[in-house]
Amino acid sequence: TLGGIDCSGNQLTALDLSKNTALTALYCNNNRLTGLDVSKNTALTELYCDVNEMTSLNVQGCVQLDTLLCNNNLLTELDVSSCSALWYLDCSYNNLTSLTLGNNENLMYFSCAENPMLPSVDTSGVPNLIVFYEGIEINEERFPDSMFRLILAYFYSMDSTSRQGLA
C-alpha cells in the first residue's frame, strides 16, 4: 500500500496519480502544476498542493480528505462538497469566484482570504466552523468580536504540531 508521496519543490508542471488509488497523503506544493485531479484517489486524507500555478483542482470523491491546502494558486472555482471528512481548508490567495462547501459538518478551520472576486461564501451547511480568516462576507454571529477573531487567527496560523492538544 502506497502511503504518501512528497514531490514538493521539484518544478513539476503535471502530475498523474489516478492509478494510485490507495494514496493517503500527497505533498506536491511549491511546484509549477497547472492543474490537479485527485478524484480517483479516494483514500487521500491530506493534500498539500499550495504554491503552484493551478487553475483547476478536482477533489470530488475524496470523502476521506481531512486536510486541504490549495492556497497561493490561480484557482477560479473550488468544490469541496463531497469531502465530508474535511476539517482544515486553506484556499486563500487564489482567484476564486465560486466556492462550494456544501454540507460539511467536520469543517472547523477555513481560510479563503485574498480572493477579491469572491463576494461571499455560504457557510450554512458548516455548523462547526470555528476559525475563519476574514476578507469576505460571512455569518458574523459565529465570530462575536474582533478579539475573538484575533485569537482564532493566531491559533490558525500555528503549525499542526503546535496545535495538537489545543483543539
Side-chain angles (χ1 to χ4, degrees):
T1 303
L2 181 62
I5 293 177
D6 186 347
C7 55
S8 301
N10 284 300
Q11 301 296 313
L12 299 175
T13 56
L15 190 58
D16 181 1
L17 297 167
S18 58
K19 303 253 191 279
N20 303 94
T21 57
L23 184 67
T24 59
L26 175 58
Y27 306 93
C28 57
N29 47 310
N30 295 298
N31 278 295
R32 297 179 57 217
L33 297 173
T34 57
L36 186 61
D37 184 346
V38 292
S39 60
K40 303 256 191 272
N41 305 100
T42 56
L44 198 62
T45 60
E46 295 180 31
L47 176 56
Y48 292 75
C49 55
D50 49 309
V51 193
N52 275 288
E53 300 169 8
M54 293 192 308
T55 56
S56 65
L57 174 61
N58 185 354
V59 292
Q60 293 302 304
C62 294
V63 296
Q64 297 184 51
L65 187 65
D66 63 35
T67 304
L68 172 58
L69 279 78
C70 56
N71 52 293
N72 295 83
N73 276 291
L74 303 171
L75 299 173
T76 56
E77 59 183 46
L78 181 62
D79 184 346
V80 295
S81 59
S82 71
C83 303
S84 55
L86 193 65
W87 72 274
Y88 188 104
L89 171 63
D90 186 348
C91 55
S92 56
Y93 295 93
N94 274 288
N95 296 324
L96 292 175
T97 57
S98 172
L99 176 58
T100 306
L101 299 176
N103 293 321
N104 199 323
E105 295 183 7
N106 292 311
L107 188 59
M108 296 175 67
Y109 307 98
F110 167 53
S111 175
C112 63
E114 300 302 325
N115 279 287
M117 301 303 290
L118 186 64
S120 65
V121 174
D122 180 4
T123 60
S124 60
V126 189
N128 297 314
L129 185 66
I130 61 169
V131 174
F132 172 77
Y133 269 169
E134 296 179 31
I136 62 165
E137 183 180 318
I138 195 164
N139 304 337
E140 284 297 318
E141 68 270 7
R142 295 188 187 190
F143 312 101
D145 60 37
S146 59
M147 182 56 80
F148 181 73
R149 289 190 294 271
L150 181 65
I151 291 168
L152 290 178
Y154 172 74
F155 176 77
Y156 185 52
S157 69
M158 291 190 292
D159 64 30
S160 60
T161 305
S162 300
R163 281 194 306 269
Q164 288 179 347
L166 294 177

